[in-house]
Amino acid sequence: MKMTSIHEQYTVAISTFLLCLTLKAKVSPVARRQSSGTAFEDIEWVPLLHALCVSLLAVVAFFMENPDDPEPLHSLRCAGPYSRLHAVLPMISAGYSAFEVVEALRSGSKSYVLHGSFIFFFLVLGAAAGFVHNFTRVQLCEISTIFLNSQRLRVRRSLQILNAAIFVFAFFSVRLIAMPMWSLQWLSTFMVEGSDCLPSFIGKVYFAANGLFFALNIWWARAIIKKIERTWKKQS
């Protein structure tokens, strides 16, 4: 497989950022007018489309991993990405994170500024260091974001409850169970096996980054659940 250069990765990030800005400025207003009076009237299309696309590609990438060369040993041997998809998928999220920061600055949402900046920083840093493909599995977190954005659908209450239940299941199972398990597996393997190409301090960086990511997910879980409760009370 031909390796993806850092210039290609940054091009993907910049292109995604510009595409999101264009969709927000040109497409979203049209979509909102067209969906006026329908169940989709309140949908934020850019976040939803990003979550749908990245989730689908993340699932494809997950099943493209080679079972004969599994993670985390594949990463610890610095064998590179399994495919070009693994090399560029995290950079789509990097571009979207930059868009998220811009939108958060416009709206004055400090939490989204923090969230977008955190993700953007680590993905761009990972690309510069040549290991951004190690964050490909993290993109599975976007699965729950699909159902978070779907909370805006104007549908009957039973469907809202079903959507909320799927969201909570996806959020907890991926972000608070699967991701911490994979992180601990990577860290424990690194401590035992070491790495042919990664410096020893990477273990501390990895632990700190994943600890912060887990703490952010706990914070988001509390905030989102409270928001869902407020939404249901208003609609009752």
Side-chain angles (χ1 to χ4, degrees):
M1 182 195 72
K2 181 182 177 182
M3 294 298 292
T4 304
S5 71
I6 187 172
H7 301 291
E8 291 175 300
Q9 290 175 320
Y10 284 157
T11 298
V12 169
I14 294 170
S15 299
T16 302
F17 173 68
L18 295 176
L19 177 61
C20 288
L21 289 176
T22 302
L23 289 173
K24 178 69 175 182
K26 303 297 184 180
V27 179
S28 289
V30 175
R32 190 176 293 277
R33 287 196 300 270
Q34 293 294 325
S35 61
S36 179
T38 70
F40 301 94
E41 183 174 1
D42 297 327
I43 289 292
E44 291 290 341
W45 289 103
V46 177
L48 180 59
L49 290 174
H50 168 259
L52 283 168
C53 292
V54 170
S55 296
L56 176 60
L57 293 174
V59 171
V60 172
F62 180 78
F63 285 104
M64 287 176 67
E65 294 182 6
N66 184 359
D68 297 323
D69 184 21
E71 292 288 4
L73 290 175
H74 178 87
S75 296
L76 293 176
R77 286 195 293 264
C78 296
Y82 287 107
S83 68
R84 293 178 72 88
L85 176 59
H86 289 78
V88 301
L89 180 56
M91 301 311 292
I92 295 176
S93 287
Y96 176 78
S97 296
F99 165 78
E100 184 180 60
V101 171
V102 170
E103 288 299 298
L105 289 172
R106 287 175 178 173
S107 64
S109 175
K110 295 180 181 180
S111 60
Y112 276 96
V113 170
L114 176 63
H115 179 264
S117 299
F118 173 78
I119 294 176
F120 179 80
F121 172 77
F122 276 100
L123 292 180
V124 170
L125 180 64
F131 59 79
V132 73
H133 55 277
N134 292 336
F135 298 126
T136 301
R137 280 191 181 184
V138 180
Q139 309 313 306
L140 290 168
C141 290
E142 292 297 331
I143 293 174
S144 62
T145 308
I146 297 172
F147 301 98
L148 174 63
N149 286 289
S150 298
Q151 290 291 322
R152 291 175 171 268
L153 282 170
R154 294 187 175 185
V155 294
R156 62 180 182 268
R157 189 166 179 79
S158 59
L159 291 178
Q160 290 178 338
I161 293 173
L162 176 61
N163 184 83
I166 296 174
F167 162 72
V168 170
F169 174 78
F171 190 99
F172 279 83
S173 60
V174 177
R175 292 175 179 258
L176 300 182
I177 297 177
M179 287 300 162
M181 285 178 58
W182 286 334
S183 298
L184 289 173
Q185 182 188 30
W186 193 97
L187 189 60
S188 61
T189 305
F190 177 76
M191 294 175 65
V192 173
E193 301 288 340
S195 174
D196 299 331
C197 52
L198 296 175
S200 58
F201 71 83
I202 285 295
K204 296 178 181 179
V205 174
Y206 188 86
F207 178 81
N210 278 272
L212 180 57
F213 183 66
F214 183 72
L216 280 173
N217 279 323
I218 291 291
W219 186 86
W220 277 109
R222 293 179 66 254
I224 289 169
I225 290 173
K226 288 181 179 179
K227 184 176 180 180
I228 292 174
E229 289 177 346
R230 288 195 301 269
T231 301
W232 285 358
K233 289 178 179 178
K234 288 181 181 179
Q235 296 176 350
S236 298

